[in-house]
């Protein structure tokens, strides 16, 4: 039984790999048999990645898309302004309210 995550995973991989040729269908099936879930990709070693690229250059596009997705998830918005700790903020507010700043 497929979950919504596994269905989405299969759809995304197929959108990248399948181009209508039988060769691409075989490539897709081989990839999914080796890496059936997103967590299996997460645990992929660099040696495994290199081997995939050696076997078929189309894998480089798939791996780049995965890397981009990882980068997007890990990215953070830049902090603008000054971040105060609660202690610094309370001291700053007391100084301002007492007219010392």
């Amino acid at each position: 039984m497929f979950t919504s995550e596994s269905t989405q995973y299969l759809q995304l991989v197929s959108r990248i790999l399948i181009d209508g040729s039988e060769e691409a269908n075989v490539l897709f099936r081989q990839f999914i048999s080796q890496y059936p879930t997103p967590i299996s990709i997460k645990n992929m070693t660099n040696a495994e990645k290199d081997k995939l690229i050696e076997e078929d250059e189309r894998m480089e596009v798939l791996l780049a898309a995965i890397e981009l997705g990882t980068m997007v998830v890990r990215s953070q918005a830049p902090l603008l302004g000054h971040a105060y700790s609660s202690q610094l903020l309370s001291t700053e507010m007391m100084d301002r309210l007492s007219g010392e700043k």
Side-chain angles (χ1 to χ4, degrees):
M1 186 156 168
F2 291 107
T3 65
S4 62
E5 181 183 81
S6 62
T7 301
Q8 185 179 18
Y9 169 69
L10 293 173
Q11 289 172 341
L12 290 170
V13 172
S14 69
R15 283 176 59 188
I16 294 169
L17 292 181
I18 294 179
D19 62 7
S21 69
E22 184 56 33
E23 186 180 279
N25 289 335
V26 170
L27 184 65
F28 170 75
R29 287 192 300 272
Q30 287 174 339
F31 182 81
I32 293 301
S33 68
Q34 285 182 287
Y35 304 99
T37 63
I39 195 72
S40 62
I41 290 178
K42 188 176 183 180
N43 295 327
M44 187 186 303
T45 65
N46 286 334
E48 289 174 312
K49 290 176 186 178
D50 292 341
K51 185 178 177 193
L52 285 172
I53 293 169
E54 285 174 16
E55 290 174 0
D56 194 302
E57 63 188 28
R58 289 176 285 188
M59 286 298 180
E60 192 166 9
V61 174
L62 175 63
L63 294 174
I66 292 167
E67 191 173 332
L68 176 62
T70 301
M71 180 185 278
V72 168
V73 169
R74 289 183 181 164
S75 66
Q76 297 178 358
L79 294 176
L80 303 174
H82 185 82
Y84 289 98
S85 71
S86 58
Q87 184 178 6
L88 285 174
L89 180 61
S90 64
T91 302
E92 180 79 19
M93 292 302 294
M94 287 190 310
D95 289 346
R96 284 186 184 179
L97 291 172
S98 68
E100 293 180 18
K101 276 194 171 185

